[in-house]
């Protein structure tokens, strides 16, 4: 066979080789462009993507915020999820802040004081199912911004959406291991929980603004624990957890101060404020009795039971007639009004400094015996022991959470409340700690009693916290001050015991909220 019949001419072969080379080049270029396109899309961070910690069933440390969930604070690896992922993820609301880890960063504006600390968003409302696939182990840091999308580079995983959300985040060491009562006051120019003069349920003597106090510095301070960051009081979350329950404050007028503060904070969060009312219609709360504010939309109440000693005030019939006594061995008659409450906040202390109780002459009684003379601290310890035995015997710890708020420090200069003591014109806290008082002996007695109780009692140690705040008292800004001044009355007393509202008791309630999240039972359990 003649092979020349099947050969091609050289020009023809050159043309075919050229076309084949150009075709191969086009195919290669197309494949390269497609690869680059898919790669670039895979590197983008979708708006609905989140970084979540890897969950571990052996979790022991939890971070609590307004809607918190638990995670292992020692495991900082993060899971990256996007819309194409096989990992199941229910939709998280758009305003939710990302969950992640802080590494080699110090952000003072949000309370970050220690490196490699975990933080969590308060707004994650839906359940999230996460596996350990696609772990992301890169270092991350926070970049602050307002209403911005997520920004990503090799060292950045998130941008917070607003300063308000940053403030709500639990940043720094987890406060389940932190003493939230060990800290300092820091300047805070944000608004108080309820505007000055806005709450109609504040006793006139606590309403410093209405009584003529012009400076506003006393509402511009926030309590900051030394070793952790705490969330603000989320009133909506508080009410939701309190739904169908009773919270009762039991004690003296300082607990009334705290009670009115909490009612005002919770009321401010509601759209229909008329659905908050004292069930008996009372608007004055200074007399002894039981008062209950009902939050109709949540079927719950926040009550106050006036019991300044916790134990029973009584009378004794002696040879020379009847005289008043204090039964150190019997609880007050009011116990039936709060025994079955879901949360009880006790206090007592201030009435033990009055002349009758401090002298203790033929005043303290146990059984049929009236002590001719008994030191007030000894009597206080006996009364607390009676209270502790009653709590251990009568309170169902599975149903009721028990708190005891510590002694609120007073600031009388130049005398006591009834001998010319003053705190007028104090507009700043104490800065120099050498001017602070020693830890109250009554609180040392209380701490000893609580340690020996069977029932868990959460002790709110607010003594040092209040000691700094010499500026927060009503002082001369009281209901009868102007009338007394016109009459040049020598009986004009300054109030350097109670607190202006809004003011310091708002912080007590903030710490009550954190303590409930920290030690939560029932609806408060995380």
């Amino acid at each position: 066979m003649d092979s020349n019949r099947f050969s091609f001419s050289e020009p023809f072969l050159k043309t075919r080789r050229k076309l084949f080379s150009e075709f191969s080049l086009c195919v290669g270029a197309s494949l390269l462009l497609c690869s680059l396109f898919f790669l670039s899309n895979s590197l983008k961070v979708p708006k609905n993507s989140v970084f979540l910690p890897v969950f571990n069933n052996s979790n022991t440390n939890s971070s609590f915020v307004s809607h918190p969930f638990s995670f292992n604070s020692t495991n900082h690896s993060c899971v990256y999820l996007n819309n194409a992922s096989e990992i199941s993820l229910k939709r998280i609301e758009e305003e939710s802040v990302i969950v992640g880890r802080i590494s080699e960063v110090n952000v003072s504006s949000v309370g970050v004081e220690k490196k490699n600390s975990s933080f969590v968003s308060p707004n994650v409302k839906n359940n999230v199912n996460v596996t350990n696939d696609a772990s992301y182990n890169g270092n991350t840091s926070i970049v602050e911004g307002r209403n911005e999308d997520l920004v990503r580079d090799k060292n950045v995983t998130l941008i917070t959406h607003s300063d308000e959300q940053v403030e709500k985040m639990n940043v720094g060491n987890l406060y389940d291991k932190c003493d939230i009562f060990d800290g300092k006051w820091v300047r805070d120019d944000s608004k108080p929980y309820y505007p000055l003069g806005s709450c109609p349920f504040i006793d006139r003597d606590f309403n410093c603004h209405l009584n003529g106090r012009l400076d506003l510095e006393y509402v511009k301070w926030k309590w900051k624990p030394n070793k952790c960051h705490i969330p603000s009081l989320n009133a909506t979350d508080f009410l939701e957890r309190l739904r169908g329950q009773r919270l009762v404050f039991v004690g003296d007028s300082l607990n009334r101060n705290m009670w009115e503060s909490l009612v005002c904070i919770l009321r401010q969060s509601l759209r229909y404020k008329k659905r908050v009312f004292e069930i008996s219609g009372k608007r004055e709360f200074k007399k002894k009795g039981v008062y209950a504010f009902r939050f109709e939309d949540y079927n719950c109440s926040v009550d106050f039971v006036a019991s300044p000693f916790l134990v029973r005030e009584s009378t004794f019939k002696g040879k020379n007639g009847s005289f008043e006594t204090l039964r150190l061995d019997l609880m007050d008659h009011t116990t039936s009004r709060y025994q079955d409450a879901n949360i009880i906040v006790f206090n007592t202390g201030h009435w033990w400094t009055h002349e009758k109780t401090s002298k203790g002459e033929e005043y303290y009684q146990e059984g049929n015996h009236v002590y001719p003379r008994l030191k007030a601290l000894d009597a206080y310890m006996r009364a607390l022991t009676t209270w502790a035995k009653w709590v251990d015997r009568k309170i169902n710890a599975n149903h009721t959470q028990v708190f005891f708020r510590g002694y609120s420090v007073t600031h009388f200069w130049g005398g006591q409340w009834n001998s010319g003591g003053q705190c007028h014109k104090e507009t700043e806290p104490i800065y120099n700690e050498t001017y602070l008082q020693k830890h109250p002996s009554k609180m040392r007695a209380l701490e000893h009693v609580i340690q020996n109780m069977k029932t868990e009692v959460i002790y709110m140690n607010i003594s040092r916290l209040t000691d700094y705040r010499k500026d927060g008292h009503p002082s001369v800004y009281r209901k009868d001050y102007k009338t007394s001044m016109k009459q040049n009355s020598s009986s004009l007393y300054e109030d350097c015991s109670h607190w202006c509202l809004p003011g310091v008791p708002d912080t007590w309630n903030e710490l009550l909220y954190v303590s409930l999240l920290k030690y939560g039972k029932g609806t408060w359990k995380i």
Side-chain angles (χ1 to χ4, degrees):
M1 182 179 292
D2 187 0
S3 61
N4 291 332
R5 291 180 58 186
F6 298 98
S7 64
F8 296 96
S9 64
E10 187 65 21
F12 177 83
L13 291 174
K14 288 182 178 180
T15 302
R16 292 295 184 273
R17 292 191 190 101
K18 182 178 181 181
L19 289 174
F20 182 78
S21 298
E22 291 176 352
F23 175 79
S24 300
L25 184 62
C26 289
V27 171
S30 298
L31 290 173
L32 180 61
L33 289 173
C34 289
S35 299
L36 291 174
F37 175 78
F38 286 112
L39 181 62
S40 63
N41 278 345
S42 67
L43 290 176
K44 290 182 179 179
V45 180
K47 289 185 177 180
N48 290 334
S49 297
V50 295
F51 289 92
L52 294 172
V54 177
F55 286 80
N56 190 324
N57 290 333
S58 62
N59 165 46
T60 57
N61 295 327
S62 300
S63 174
F64 304 122
V65 286
S66 58
H67 288 283
F69 54 85
S70 301
F71 65 95
N72 191 332
S73 62
T74 61
N75 186 347
H76 296 294
S77 59
C78 296
V79 178
Y80 173 66
L81 308 176
N82 60 31
N83 293 335
S85 174
E86 295 180 357
I87 298 174
S88 170
L89 172 65
K90 291 185 178 181
R91 185 178 180 276
I92 292 180
E93 293 188 6
E94 187 173 352
E95 75 269 12
S96 296
V97 183
I98 311 306
V99 179
R101 177 171 72 112
I102 303 169
S103 178
E104 300 300 319
V105 62
N106 189 325
V107 186
S108 60
S109 63
V110 291
V112 179
E113 294 183 346
K114 189 173 182 180
K115 300 176 182 179
N116 296 329
S117 298
S118 302
F119 60 92
V120 61
S121 162
N123 294 321
V124 180
K125 297 181 181 178
N126 293 333
N127 294 327
V128 183
N129 298 322
V130 187
T131 67
N132 290 347
D133 297 328
S135 296
Y136 176 81
N137 295 315
N139 290 333
T140 64
S141 61
I142 292 181
V143 177
E144 293 184 79
R146 187 179 292 274
N147 298 322
E148 299 182 59
D149 291 333
L150 296 180
V151 175
R152 181 181 178 87
D153 63 23
K154 63 181 180 180
N155 290 319
V156 177
T157 58
L158 73 93
I159 249 185
T160 55
H161 295 155
S162 71
D163 292 340
E164 181 182 359
Q165 287 174 324
V166 170
E167 195 278 331
K168 290 179 181 178
M169 293 168 64
N170 177 25
V171 185
N173 291 339
L174 303 182
Y175 58 77
D176 61 337
K177 300 297 182 183
C178 166
D179 181 0
I180 59 176
F181 302 100
D182 176 27
K184 59 186 176 182
W185 292 94
V186 295
R187 180 79 181 189
D188 179 21
D189 289 320
S190 62
K191 295 179 182 179
Y193 282 108
Y194 47 101
L196 290 157
S198 67
C199 186
F201 304 129
I202 298 175
D203 275 348
R204 180 65 185 266
D205 283 343
F206 302 157
N207 202 330
C208 301
H209 180 70
L210 184 63
N211 293 333
R213 183 166 181 172
L214 298 179
D215 75 281
L216 303 179
E217 298 303 303
Y218 65 97
V219 298
K220 295 183 178 181
W221 296 93
K222 181 179 180 62
W223 180 250
K224 183 181 182 301
N226 286 328
K227 296 183 179 180
C228 58
H229 179 77
I230 57 174
S232 298
L233 195 162
N234 185 325
T236 302
D237 181 55
F238 197 112
L239 284 167
E240 195 61 57
R241 294 177 186 275
L242 198 62
R243 185 182 291 276
Q245 301 180 17
R246 288 178 66 218
L247 188 162
V248 184
F249 292 89
V250 182
D252 57 30
S253 56
L254 272 298
N255 247 15
R256 190 175 83 240
N257 219 175
M258 185 178 181
W259 167 65
E260 292 179 9
S261 162
L262 183 60
V263 170
C264 292
I265 291 173
L266 299 181
R267 174 185 178 273
Q268 182 63 26
S269 69
L270 300 177
R271 181 177 181 181
Y272 300 107
K273 293 178 173 53
K274 290 185 178 180
R275 294 176 66 80
V276 180
F277 51 87
E278 206 283 320
I279 58 175
S280 62
K282 296 176 182 176
R283 300 294 290 267
E284 296 287 339
F285 315 112
K286 296 185 71 171
K287 294 182 179 180
K288 287 187 179 180
V290 179
Y291 307 94
F293 270 99
R294 179 169 176 79
F295 290 77
E296 192 71 18
D297 293 335
Y298 291 86
N299 188 31
C300 66
S301 70
V302 180
D303 306 351
F304 171 66
V305 176
S307 181
F309 295 107
L310 298 183
V311 292
R312 186 176 303 176
E313 296 177 71
S314 185
T315 57
F316 184 81
K317 293 182 179 180
K319 295 180 180 180
N320 298 323
S322 299
F323 53 91
E324 293 180 353
T325 61
L326 188 65
R327 289 294 301 267
L328 302 177
D329 56 338
L330 295 176
M331 288 290 286
D332 189 17
H333 290 293
T334 59
T335 55
S336 62
R337 305 297 297 271
Y338 58 80
Q339 179 177 331
D340 62 346
N342 302 90
I343 302 168
I344 309 175
V345 182
F346 291 99
N347 99 295
T348 184
H350 287 272
W351 281 45
W352 297 82
T353 63
H354 292 186
E355 184 175 356
K356 186 184 296 183
T357 50
S358 61
K359 285 184 177 180
E361 295 177 354
E362 294 188 347
Y363 180 62
Y364 298 116
Q365 178 183 354
E366 287 183 321
N368 292 321
H369 176 68
V370 176
Y371 291 92
R373 187 176 182 86
L374 187 65
K375 291 183 179 179
L377 184 60
D378 190 3
Y380 184 77
M381 176 74 98
R382 292 168 186 251
L384 286 179
T385 302
T386 298
W387 165 80
K389 289 179 179 178
W390 178 85
V391 170
D392 283 341
R393 187 174 66 255
K394 295 292 187 179
I395 294 295
N396 180 356
N398 294 322
H399 172 77
T400 302
Q401 191 111 337
V402 179
F403 288 79
F404 199 109
R405 180 186 58 74
Y407 187 76
S408 171
V409 175
T410 62
H411 296 93
F412 290 99
W413 316 129
Q416 291 302 311
W417 67 276
N418 58 351
S419 59
Q422 298 180 354
C423 56
H424 185 35
K425 297 182 180 179
E426 295 288 357
T427 58
E428 291 183 330
I430 293 173
Y431 297 117
N432 189 338
E433 295 186 2
T434 60
Y435 293 111
L436 298 179
Q437 304 173 41
K438 293 181 179 179
H439 190 52
S441 55
K442 292 186 182 66
M443 293 304 96
R444 290 198 296 271
L446 171 67
E447 291 157 11
H448 175 76
V449 170
I450 290 177
Q451 287 173 1
N452 292 289
M453 292 178 65
K454 293 185 296 183
T455 306
E456 179 187 39
V457 174
I458 302 168
Y459 170 41
M460 296 184 64
N461 185 9
I462 54 102
S463 297
R464 190 172 181 85
L465 176 155
T466 55
D467 201 353
Y468 286 101
R469 294 303 307 275
K470 60 184 174 64
D471 60 312
H473 300 290
S475 63
V476 299
Y477 300 106
R478 302 173 64 191
K479 181 179 179 180
D480 299 327
Y481 171 67
K482 291 182 180 180
T483 303
S484 299
M485 287 295 289
K486 289 179 182 179
Q487 297 174 352
N488 293 319
S489 174
S490 60
S491 62
L492 174 64
Y493 301 133
E494 290 192 18
D495 185 352
C496 305
S497 299
H498 299 99
W499 303 92
C500 297
L501 294 178
V504 171
D506 301 335
T507 295
W508 301 351
N509 285 309
E510 187 174 77
L511 294 169
L512 172 64
Y513 174 66
V514 175
S515 297
L516 281 164
L517 294 174
K518 183 175 178 179
Y519 301 104
K521 294 180 180 179
T523 57
W524 292 92
K525 191 171 184 179
I526 306 304

